[in-house]
Amino acid sequence: MDREPLSVLCTPAMVVDVDKVKKNAQRMIEKCEKLGVKLRPHMKTHKTIECADIMTGGSRRCIVVSTLAEACFFADHGFDDILYAYSLPFDKVERCAILSERLELFQVLLDHPDALEQLKKRPLKGGRLWHVWLKLDCGNGRAGILHSEPEALRLAQSIAEAAGVQLTGVYAHCGNTYNCRGVQEIQTVAKDTTRFTLQFMEKLKIAGITCKSSIGSTPSCSHPGQDMAQLSEVHPGNYVFYDVQQSIIGSCSVEDIAVRVLTRVIGHCPHRNQLLIDCGWTGLSDTLMKAEVVAKTCQFGWCWETSNRICCNRRASGPQTVVHDSGAWKSGAPFRKAGLQHVPTGFSAHTDSIPFMCNSSDASCVSCALRGHSHGQVETNTWMVNRCKYRILAIVNLYSNLLADTCR
Amino acid sequence: MDREPLSVLCTPAMVVDVDKVKKNAQRMIEKCEKLGVKLRPHMKTHKTIECADIMTGGSRRCIVVSTLAEACFFADHGFDDILYAYSLPFDKVERCAILSERLELFQVLLDHPDALEQLKKRPLKGGRLWHVWLKLDCGNGRAGILHSEPEALRLAQSIAEAAGVQLTGVYAHCGNTYNCRGVQEIQTVAKDTTRFTLQFMEKLKIAGITCKSSIGSTPSCSHPGQDMAQLSEVHPGNYVFYDVQQSIIGSCSVEDIAVRVLTRVIGHCPHRNQLLIDCGWTGLSDTLMKAEVVAKTCQFGWCWETSNRICCNRRASGPQTVVHDSGAWKSGAPFRKAGLQHVPTGFSAHTDSIPFMCNSSDASCVSCALRGHSHGQVETNTWMVNRCKYRILAIVNLYSNLLADTCR
């Protein structure tokens, strides 16, 4: 991770402030230590060895992933104690079996009796057990068996009683914290999820079953309540970077955000008062397609000053020629002169009133930045999944003369 | 491209009907021959050697790309006469120069005098010329210099007069045809774009400049007017696959669509009347996040019967175990019994009233299907770029028993 000036980077690129990543990771480690729960960081946000090392404190143990490709990727790099937290897809049972036979501890997740049947049909070699987490829906409303349904307890019992299978834990994702605004709302959802999970654990105990419990989501784990101390584990992931969405939810401050999208202005249309940037909608957010609206309503689309502390993830396609950087953007002057908003303190320029125009033909290159950096083994990058999020760093080193002209 | 039953595929996957691809490609070749214009097919939709061969009739000549990564990918596979139709990004000038020096004919595009200055600063070796297309905005409102502005003619003249640079052509993209509904609206936009382009060519002629002219977009080239015969080239791309959006615009019929997204149902929530499928929002469309609405308003989210003619692009991650296929979905019965819409003729099941639930954690895997197939060299797949498009093929071979239960 060589440090280079941003201006030499090929755009669009995802830039990661590694100091902030370390700070975010360390803060979560300390929160969990204080609470006495095990931290099982989720890898889906970054899918890189580098961040995984930072999040696990170098142990390369106790992680959670959302795809089998991620599981294989991290297993190939010496990681173990991996939980594949995705409703068991029946077409991937064989690959899960192979990982279970290969790793010290590979764990799957399910929420339906049919899935358990699939595991029973494929007993593991060498007397190994399938390590199974039961996915509980505690109000999130996506995957999982509803915590209050009698079927949930029955399924847990079936798992516990099945030959060749072990009920390792009960897993709930409080993704509904993403609808929250502010710490109080987040903690209310987290409390409910924790209570429902612990109530279910109580039912299990009465039925003579003991296993682990885990809840997670970055908002809830960023502001853990004391009740969460009764859980075995938590599994947040996004906190490693945070993003604008998280700052709006209240998970973090804007200063905690460790990632930015670097994009160049590649066109200027004075007659439309528009800039064209070399970053497509997946790199920014589909909402940014209507940036005029979004920037005003939820503050996406900021432009930030460059920082020496920013460590760059490069596109796989190699180094580029250096471009001229006039610094005009940094002062914000051209845009101000052009009748656009004043630059607030701490920001180099503010795009609230700049109607961004995203050229979709280079879309998703942002994801390639980190993929290239990370050996190209992982198929999905969450930049595309977590929409409406990343702050944009636009460097107007291309059309600075033009902009100056416009302002005369 | 081995033919296998769809049920052995790991999902989500993009499936391509190669027969339809060939038919779509052949039809466009014939349209252009009849019109007497050169067809320069755009590669950005598929980014594969396979489709590029089909679209160029095996010549591997005369193509257009939207990223430099695509340009390099196709150059590495023996393609030539490549137009990089993206407003010249200044950080990529050196790489463009290298391609220009290496290929017989590599062409760039620009819409600003600053970009021309960048080219002049990097003269090509061996006395070669930069082949430059001027990007004209004929009403599309994205990249390009406005056709009616005096600056447009001045820029064309500057290119034509610059040492080491050749004005190869004038290029306009009528992306505004994507707002059309029906052939008449499409042809009106195409006519305007053609007229503006030809008017500009006339001005050039008066100024003593001759060069090529090209307009494009799949809607316009699918229904070319006779006036387009006066152009040198056209550059459509999406027609190789078409999609639901194109069928709604009127570019094609639903039967022409050559791609589908294959996804499995991995969860069922009777209390919410929801299914969980293993395909994230980028694989489907971000609009499908609200599929209940979308399916009703613009017909996305159909489920189709499997077909023996479908040739499969596999995910890079290798073959999967075979899953049980009960055929229940094909009959459409379970959903009908469950109170959902009747299956219209020709469709195996219709999801208008099925509230799809997309699990975002496997998002963008769809793009990996074709990427894996195509040697992993190309960084962007347009599945993610062209939103709101692909038809979904859901095979409910996992939870068929469960669904039957629900219907009792």
Side-chain angles (χ1 to χ4, degrees):
Chain A
M1 299 208 272
D2 296 332
R3 300 194 174 200
E4 302 178 282
L6 285 172
S7 57
V8 304
L9 282 184
C10 180
T11 48
M14 168 69 75
V15 290
V16 178
D17 185 329
V18 174
D19 291 342
K20 286 193 179 175
V21 164
K22 287 179 182 165
K23 201 184 277 178
N24 292 341
Q26 189 53 37
R27 209 185 294 139
M28 191 59 79
I29 289 170
E30 286 165 11
K31 272 188 177 67
C32 291
E33 280 176 355
K34 199 173 153 198
L35 214 57
V37 296
K38 202 167 177 183
L39 172 62
R40 182 181 295 278
H42 212 306
M43 301 291 113
K44 70 180 175 183
T45 298
H46 56 87
K47 300 170 200 287
T48 65
I49 299 303
E50 294 84 350
C51 288
D53 273 339
I54 294 170
M55 289 171 99
T56 60
S59 74
R60 300 199 167 188
R61 293 295 177 274
C62 196
I63 60 169
V64 50
V65 298
S66 62
T67 69
L68 205 49
E70 288 168 41
C72 295
F73 174 70
F74 287 107
D76 289 347
H77 287 84
F79 284 74
D80 211 313
D81 187 357
I82 299 173
L83 166 54
Y84 173 34
Y86 189 82
S87 304
L88 184 77
F90 296 7
D91 56 325
K92 297 175 186 76
V93 171
E94 182 58 28
R95 287 160 71 201
C96 286
I98 291 167
L99 272 178
S100 297
E101 288 161 353
R102 173 184 154 200
L103 295 183
E104 277 185 39
L105 187 54
F106 180 70
Q107 298 150 83
V108 296
L109 177 147
L110 59 81
D111 60 4
H112 196 274
D114 283 10
L116 178 59
E117 292 309 307
Q118 292 287 321
L119 297 184
K120 281 156 62 175
K121 275 188 211 160
R122 173 56 171 93
L124 298 179
K125 289 168 191 162
R128 281 174 169 255
L129 298 176
W130 281 103
H131 298 280
V132 178
W133 290 75
L134 174 67
K135 176 73 176 267
L136 222 52
D137 179 359
C138 293
N140 185 36
R142 194 169 64 179
I145 188 162
L146 202 62
H147 68 97
S148 53
E149 293 282 331
E151 285 82 1
L153 186 61
R154 276 202 291 274
L155 180 53
Q157 285 174 309
S158 302
I159 298 168
E161 290 161 8
V165 179
Q166 183 198 70
L167 179 64
T168 307
V170 170
Y171 186 100
H173 172 59
C174 41
N176 40 342
T177 48
Y178 281 79
N179 302 323
C180 296
R181 290 294 176 275
V183 176
Q184 205 183 339
E185 282 185 35
I186 293 170
Q187 290 189 328
T188 301
V189 172
K191 254 193 214 336
D192 285 347
T193 309
T194 305
R195 192 176 73 250
F196 295 147
T197 304
L198 293 174
Q199 281 170 356
F200 190 78
M201 299 307 291
E202 201 55 39
K203 286 187 217 169
L204 283 183
K205 201 175 158 191
I206 291 165
I209 299 168
T210 52
C211 66
K212 293 179 191 169
S213 59
S214 179
I215 79 156
S217 87
T218 283
S220 60
C221 297
S222 295
H223 301 290
Q226 197 50 42
D227 52 337
M228 285 168 67
Q230 298 171 72
L231 300 161
S232 320
E233 301 187 354
V234 291
H235 51 257
N238 174 284
Y239 70 89
V240 67
F241 288 162
Y242 284 123
D243 53 44
V244 174
Q245 186 189 26
Q246 295 285 358
S247 76
I248 290 170
I249 292 168
S251 311
C252 66
S253 74
V254 162
E255 288 66 37
D256 298 325
I257 302 174
V259 286
R260 297 168 191 183
V261 174
L262 184 70
T263 177
R264 276 191 171 82
V265 173
I266 57 162
H268 186 228
C269 314
H271 60 287
R272 294 200 309 265
N273 193 30
Q274 283 182 328
L275 297 172
L276 192 67
I277 57 172
D278 68 345
C279 184
W281 68 272
T282 53
L284 301 177
S285 134
D286 71 323
T287 318
L288 261 174
M289 291 290 276
K290 296 167 188 159
E292 303 95 321
V293 179
V294 175
K296 279 170 199 156
T297 54
C298 51
Q299 301 180 295
F300 298 122
W302 293 328
C303 293
W304 282 66
E305 62 194 351
T306 60
S307 157
N308 291 335
R309 286 182 303 107
I310 289 174
C311 186
C312 306
N313 284 303
R314 316 202 54 156
R315 282 176 65 180
S317 39
Q320 308 307 313
T321 51
V322 179
V323 292
H324 173 63
D325 186 342
S326 72
W329 177 264
K330 282 180 193 158
S331 77
F335 284 108
R336 218 161 46 226
K337 279 190 197 163
L340 299 177
Q341 276 207 354
H342 181 68
V343 180
T345 318
F347 296 78
S348 58
H350 199 282
T351 63
D352 270 3
S353 53
I354 297 174
F356 264 110
M357 202 57 192
C358 311
N359 190 321
S360 63
S361 54
D362 244 348
S364 86
C365 288
V366 166
S367 80
C368 302
L370 206 49
R371 183 180 303 127
H373 187 56
S374 199
H375 319 297
Q377 291 305 312
V378 176
E379 60 197 352
T380 314
N381 262 298
T382 319
W383 326 133
M384 307 191 188
V385 181
N386 297 336
R387 301 177 302 159
C388 318
K389 291 193 167 189
Y390 297 114
R391 294 192 272 160
I392 310 153
L393 175 64
I395 50 170
V396 191
N397 45 10
L398 304 189
Y399 284 85
S400 48
N401 290 338
L402 178 150
L403 289 169
D405 282 353
T406 309
C407 304
R408 268 207 294 267
Chain B
M1 298 208 273
D2 296 331
R3 299 194 174 198
E4 303 177 283
L6 285 172
S7 56
V8 305
L9 282 184
C10 180
T11 49
M14 168 70 73
V15 291
V16 178
D17 184 330
V18 174
D19 291 342
K20 286 194 178 175
V21 164
K22 286 178 182 164
K23 201 185 276 178
N24 291 340
Q26 188 53 36
R27 208 185 294 137
M28 190 60 79
I29 288 170
E30 286 164 9
K31 274 188 174 74
C32 291
E33 278 175 358
K34 198 172 155 199
L35 214 57
V37 296
K38 201 167 180 184
L39 171 62
R40 183 180 294 278
H42 212 305
M43 301 291 114
K44 70 180 174 183
T45 297
H46 56 87
K47 301 171 200 287
T48 65
I49 298 303
E50 295 84 349
C51 288
D53 273 339
I54 294 170
M55 289 171 98
T56 61
S59 73
R60 299 199 166 188
R61 293 294 178 275
C62 196
I63 61 170
V64 50
V65 298
S66 63
T67 69
L68 205 48
E70 288 169 42
C72 294
F73 173 71
F74 287 108
D76 289 346
H77 287 83
F79 284 75
D80 211 316
D81 187 355
I82 299 173
L83 166 53
Y84 173 35
Y86 189 83
S87 303
L88 185 76
F90 296 7
D91 56 325
K92 298 174 185 76
V93 171
E94 182 58 30
R95 288 161 70 201
C96 286
I98 292 167
L99 271 179
S100 298
E101 288 161 354
R102 174 186 153 196
L103 295 183
E104 276 186 40
L105 187 53
F106 180 71
Q107 299 151 79
V108 297
L109 177 148
L110 58 83
D111 60 5
H112 196 272
D114 283 9
L116 178 59
E117 290 310 308
Q118 293 288 321
L119 297 183
K120 281 156 59 176
K121 277 188 208 161
R122 173 57 171 92
L124 298 179
K125 289 167 192 163
R128 280 174 170 256
L129 298 177
W130 281 103
H131 298 281
V132 178
W133 289 75
L134 174 67
K135 176 73 176 267
L136 221 53
D137 179 0
C138 292
N140 185 36
R142 193 170 63 180
I145 188 161
L146 202 62
H147 70 97
S148 53
E149 294 282 331
E151 284 82 359
L153 185 61
R154 275 203 292 273
L155 180 52
Q157 286 173 310
S158 303
I159 298 168
E161 290 160 10
V165 179
Q166 185 200 67
L167 180 64
T168 308
V170 171
Y171 187 102
H173 172 59
C174 42
N176 39 344
T177 48
Y178 282 78
N179 302 323
C180 296
R181 291 292 176 275
V183 175
Q184 205 182 338
E185 281 185 36
I186 294 171
Q187 290 190 328
T188 301
V189 171
K191 254 192 211 339
D192 286 348
T193 309
T194 305
R195 192 175 74 248
F196 295 148
T197 303
L198 293 174
Q199 281 171 356
F200 190 80
M201 299 307 290
E202 203 54 40
K203 287 188 217 168
L204 284 183
K205 201 174 158 189
I206 291 164
I209 299 168
T210 52
C211 66
K212 293 179 191 168
S213 57
S214 179
I215 78 155
S217 86
T218 283
S220 60
C221 297
S222 296
H223 302 290
Q226 197 50 43
D227 51 338
M228 285 168 66
Q230 298 171 72
L231 300 162
S232 320
E233 301 186 355
V234 291
H235 52 257
N238 174 284
Y239 69 89
V240 65
F241 288 160
Y242 285 123
D243 52 45
V244 174
Q245 186 188 27
Q246 295 284 358
S247 76
I248 290 170
I249 291 168
S251 310
C252 65
S253 73
V254 162
E255 287 67 37
D256 298 325
I257 303 174
V259 286
R260 296 171 192 181
V261 175
L262 183 70
T263 177
R264 276 191 172 82
V265 172
I266 56 162
H268 185 230
C269 315
H271 60 286
R272 296 199 308 265
N273 193 29
Q274 284 184 329
L275 296 172
L276 192 67
I277 58 171
D278 69 345
C279 184
W281 68 270
T282 52
L284 301 177
S285 130
D286 70 323
T287 317
L288 262 175
M289 291 290 275
K290 296 169 189 157
E292 302 95 321
V293 179
V294 175
K296 278 170 200 155
T297 55
C298 50
Q299 300 182 295
F300 298 121
W302 292 328
C303 293
W304 283 67
E305 63 195 351
T306 59
S307 158
N308 290 335
R309 286 182 303 105
I310 289 173
C311 185
C312 305
N313 284 302
R314 315 202 52 159
R315 281 174 65 181
S317 38
Q320 307 309 314
T321 50
V322 179
V323 291
H324 174 64
D325 186 343
S326 72
W329 177 264
K330 282 177 190 159
S331 78
F335 284 107
R336 216 160 49 226
K337 281 191 199 159
L340 300 176
Q341 277 207 352
H342 180 68
V343 181
T345 317
F347 295 80
S348 58
H350 200 283
T351 62
D352 271 3
S353 52
I354 298 175
F356 264 110
M357 207 48 197
C358 311
N359 190 321
S360 63
S361 55
D362 244 348
S364 88
C365 287
V366 166
S367 79
C368 301
L370 206 51
R371 183 180 303 126
H373 186 58
S374 199
H375 321 296
Q377 293 303 314
V378 176
E379 61 197 355
T380 313
N381 263 299
T382 317
W383 325 134
M384 305 190 191
V385 181
N386 296 337
R387 300 177 302 157
C388 321
K389 289 192 165 189
Y390 296 114
R391 292 192 273 160
I392 310 153
L393 175 64
I395 49 169
V396 191
N397 43 12
L398 304 189
Y399 284 85
S400 48
N401 289 339
L402 179 149
L403 288 169
D405 282 352
T406 308
C407 303
R408 268 205 296 265

